[in-house]
Amino acid sequence: MKKLIKIVLFVAVVVAMVITNPRKAAHNEAIAAEYKEALQKKVGLLSLLAGQKTLEKVVNSTVEVSDYVLVSVGRYSLGEGANSVVSVGLFNHVFVFSKDDILDEMSRALGM
């Protein structure tokens, strides 16, 4: 009986992970929000407002999301074939990893 409960619980968790796996739009929103906050601290509010739409375009065009059924992984292309994992999504939440080199690359792309 205990083994059956463990199997049912395991299957329930796997099904929940599949159903709540975040899509590309959720990754893009979370990454843009994270970097918007970091850029605001770095360059100030006025400069950020001027570059907000550009930031969203940079994120949309440079972040690729791989869907692995249970989790999804967002990667940011750093150029020259180098990709860096920027986010991991599971249970309907996207965890964003802040990296200075990615922020610097985005700042360069925004002209700041």
Side-chain angles (χ1 to χ4, degrees):
M1 187 66 164
K2 287 183 180 182
K3 189 174 186 177
L4 179 64
I5 292 172
K6 289 179 183 180
I7 291 171
V8 170
L9 185 61
F10 176 75
V11 170
V13 169
V14 169
V15 169
M17 288 179 76
V18 170
I19 292 172
T20 62
N21 188 9
R23 304 292 177 235
K24 180 177 171 71
H27 279 268
N28 287 348
E29 289 173 14
I31 293 167
E34 183 79 21
Y35 290 118
K36 182 174 120 178
E37 182 180 319
L39 278 173
Q40 183 176 359
K41 291 177 184 174
K42 185 174 182 178
V43 298
L45 182 60
L46 187 59
S47 297
L48 177 65
L49 291 175
Q52 184 170 354
K53 288 295 181 187
T54 307
L55 174 65
E56 292 170 5
K57 288 179 183 178
V58 168
V59 169
N60 287 336
S61 65
T62 58
V63 172
E64 296 177 11
V65 177
S66 300
D67 186 2
Y68 297 110
V69 183
L70 300 178
V71 299
S72 51
V73 177
R75 289 182 178 85
Y76 180 74
S77 176
L78 294 171
E80 300 175 13
N83 289 330
S84 179
V85 173
V86 141
S87 62
V88 174
L90 68 149
F91 291 115
N92 212 21
H93 184 75
V94 177
F95 300 94
V96 179
F97 308 110
S98 257
K99 293 191 176 189
D100 292 331
D101 54 344
I102 296 170
L103 184 58
D104 291 341
E105 185 71 24
M106 285 189 167
S107 295
R108 255 193 308 270
L110 292 171
M112 296 178 183

